[in-house]
Amino acid sequence: MLVQRMCTLGFLLIVGIFELDAVHGYNRPPPRQNLVIPNADHPDSPQQVHISQVGQNKMRISWITESPTSPKVWYGPSPSANALAVTGTTSSYHYLLYKSGEIHDVVIGPLNPNTLYYYRLGDPPSSETYTFKTPPSQLPIKFAVVGDLGQTDWTSSTLEHVGKSNYDMLILPGDLSYADFLQPLWDSFGRLVEPLASQRPWMVTQGNHEVEKLPLIHSERFTAYNARWRMPFEQSGSDSNLYYSFDVAGVHVIMLGSYTKFDPSSPQYNWLKSDLKKVNRGNTPWVVVLVHAPWYNSNTAHQGESESVQMKASMEDLLFQARVDVVFAGHVHAYERFTRVYKDKANNCGPVYITIGDGGNREGLANKYIDPKPAISMFREASFGHGILEVVNASHAQWTWHQNDNDEAVVSDSIWLTSFSSNPSCKQ
């Protein structure tokens, strides 16, 4: 009950005072109450377990305990899960009067591709054995794509459908927990997603709800996000957990940060320029980008925001010149797919832009679109759901969007994509 009261007060604080999720010309539907997932029974018990890829043959395992325990992972290819042991690091953070639990972070490997591993957390005796499956080393590969997830009944439906999709990796373009300053909701979110996030790598970037900066009270941005969801930024030459890239199977994935500097003199811009130059289409024929605030959007929500307009002005040329295949965004709580586009016009050598900020957040759907529909917008629908990007081979991938408004996953939009690496007319 205390957490629920805190949620209500926090929501009023955000909307009434700071207006971090401002929209232009849009009346958002009433919010829906957050789910609150209870804590573990024992303070030594691992909770909020999630994994992420580090390089092409290692995995980071992260979890939290309420009391100090050993940051050790025992793992192996059999249910005994004790063939190998690796000890990592433990950290914690403070946010106003809140102190996090013990955040354990362990990188294990080298691992074999497309293989089921068993693992246990902490020193024996450990009663629970977890499993995860590594992604394949070559195509095909299947990505689940979910944005603006939150933790409501809508979220639960989305996670249930994603869990049935037999995906290899989940990629998320920002807005994870919707904790919005209320740090116990980060813990609740971690417990909610653990059944999936402990079994397949989740690769994420941040959104506006991860900023959590309070003027004069807590000046540091992304405190909880950076502490809880550490991504492999160092491996791609990035200096920040807020933007990074990685290779998996035959896909180069780039995660950008909408809420850190992105102008041509910024570290992020220079890193992106360098990263795109290093892409080897022989090894990774597909290039996919994730960013939170969409550069193309015909919904009435979130029009004219600098994170969209100015970031697009700064970086669109880089993505176009590098022949990026697909750009996923969140932020707008609805689904929209654009044709290949560049400089606001259809262009066969531009990326396909897809907004998928409809995972299940508490704020409701953005159900009003600009009329008439722009010619570059191919499909748009204000429903909760998730997407599946199945990259079949070096030349072809299938994208499907599954809407779940009735708590049933129904394919509502589907398209076959052809990579630029196999398109002679758009060679760089």
Side-chain angles (χ1 to χ4, degrees):
M1 186 63 70
L2 176 60
V3 172
Q4 293 176 345
R5 289 198 190 108
M6 290 172 65
C7 294
T8 302
L9 290 172
F11 177 74
L12 292 174
L13 177 70
I14 297 159
V15 175
I17 301 177
F18 296 104
E19 297 182 57
L20 290 182
D21 197 18
V23 296
H24 300 265
Y26 172 64
N27 294 320
R28 191 178 297 284
R32 178 173 286 193
Q33 188 172 11
N34 277 316
L35 297 173
V36 178
I37 310 302
N39 201 348
D41 294 332
H42 195 279
D44 291 343
S45 297
Q47 57 168 294
Q48 306 177 51
V49 185
H50 62 270
I51 68 173
S52 55
Q53 179 176 298
V54 180
Q56 296 192 58
N57 64 352
K58 294 183 179 180
M59 203 71 72
R60 172 176 282 110
I61 302 179
S62 302
W63 74 99
I64 293 179
T65 56
E66 294 300 319
S67 60
T69 60
S70 173
K72 184 178 288 186
V73 173
W74 301 79
Y75 71 100
S78 68
S80 59
N82 59 5
L84 297 166
V86 178
T87 300
T89 60
T90 299
S91 62
S92 63
Y93 72 91
H94 288 82
Y95 191 98
L96 303 182
L97 300 178
Y98 173 90
K99 181 183 182 299
S100 73
E102 303 288 301
I103 303 172
H104 307 293
D105 187 275
V106 181
V107 176
I108 64 173
L111 305 168
N112 294 322
N114 206 28
T115 300
L116 184 68
Y117 283 90
Y118 298 80
Y119 65 103
R120 292 184 292 112
L121 306 175
D123 280 321
S126 178
S127 58
E128 185 168 3
T129 299
Y130 301 83
T131 63
F132 70 82
K133 183 174 172 291
T134 53
S137 60
Q138 56 188 6
L139 300 173
I141 186 172
K142 182 184 289 188
F143 296 93
V145 190
V146 184
D148 297 70
L149 195 53
Q151 43 190 316
T152 68
D153 292 336
W154 294 315
T155 310
S156 295
S157 295
T158 297
L159 293 175
E160 179 184 352
H161 300 151
V162 169
K164 295 176 180 178
S165 68
N166 194 31
Y167 70 99
D168 296 301
M169 174 181 285
L170 185 141
I171 51 179
L172 196 158
D175 280 1
L176 283 70
S177 70
Y178 283 75
D180 292 323
F181 316 110
L182 304 174
Q183 299 306 300
L185 287 181
W186 274 109
D187 296 309
S188 175
F189 176 79
R191 293 189 285 265
L192 175 65
V193 302
E194 178 184 304
L196 295 186
S198 63
Q199 297 186 55
R200 299 289 187 275
W202 279 37
M203 311 301 290
V204 305
T205 188
Q206 86 289 166
N208 54 303
H209 286 273
E210 275 75 64
V211 176
E212 294 189 315
K213 176 183 177 180
L214 287 167
L216 305 179
I217 301 175
H218 186 92
S219 60
E220 183 181 351
R221 296 151 59 93
F222 307 108
T223 299
Y225 173 80
N226 283 332
R228 294 171 181 267
W229 290 84
R230 183 176 176 84
M231 293 290 113
F233 64 92
E234 302 98 335
Q235 283 73 15
S236 62
S238 170
D239 64 350
S240 171
N241 193 48
L242 303 179
Y243 48 89
Y244 63 98
S245 68
F246 63 94
D247 293 341
V248 58
V251 185
H252 184 69
V253 182
I254 299 174
M255 298 286 198
L256 297 179
S258 295
Y259 299 90
T260 188
K261 291 182 179 179
F262 44 69
D263 62 89
S265 65
S266 68
Q268 179 176 203
Y269 179 95
N270 290 317
W271 169 83
L272 174 62
K273 185 176 180 179
S274 174
D275 186 78
L276 288 169
K277 287 182 179 179
K278 296 175 185 176
V279 174
N280 183 336
R281 292 286 181 142
N283 297 329
T284 54
W286 291 86
V287 179
V288 175
V289 170
L290 276 76
V291 64
H292 185 62
W295 297 358
Y296 287 92
N297 169 32
S298 74
N299 198 288
T300 59
H302 299 298
Q303 288 291 330
E305 295 180 358
S306 62
E307 292 81 10
S308 296
V309 176
Q310 295 179 17
M311 192 176 193
K312 174 188 171 188
S314 295
M315 293 182 166
E316 186 178 20
D317 282 345
L318 293 181
L319 270 56
F320 177 76
Q321 292 163 6
R323 297 297 185 258
V324 167
D325 294 288
V326 186
V327 179
F328 291 108
H331 201 40
V332 175
H333 299 165
Y335 173 76
E336 185 166 19
R337 174 174 58 84
F338 290 85
T339 187
R340 294 198 175 279
V341 62
Y342 174 62
K343 298 289 188 183
D344 301 298
K345 295 181 180 180
N347 188 308
N348 289 334
C349 296
V352 172
Y353 286 84
I354 296 174
T355 300
I356 189 159
D358 57 349
N361 62 85
R362 59 169 166 73
E363 292 176 328
L365 292 167
N367 53 19
K368 294 182 180 180
Y369 286 96
I370 295 170
D371 188 32
K373 183 174 73 171
I376 58 174
S377 178
M378 297 292 99
F379 187 98
R380 55 187 192 175
E381 182 177 320
S383 299
F384 289 108
H386 73 281
I388 296 292
L389 178 65
E390 186 167 7
V391 185
V392 178
N393 53 39
S395 59
H396 288 85
Q398 185 179 31
W399 166 254
T400 54
W401 175 65
H402 306 247
Q403 62 102 336
N404 67 356
D405 250 6
N406 298 317
D407 292 329
E408 294 182 6
V410 178
V411 175
S412 191
D413 183 37
S414 181
I415 186 176
W416 280 93
L417 303 171
T418 303
S419 68
F420 285 128
S421 65
S422 64
N423 184 353
S425 64
C426 290
K427 290 292 185 182
Q428 297 155 282

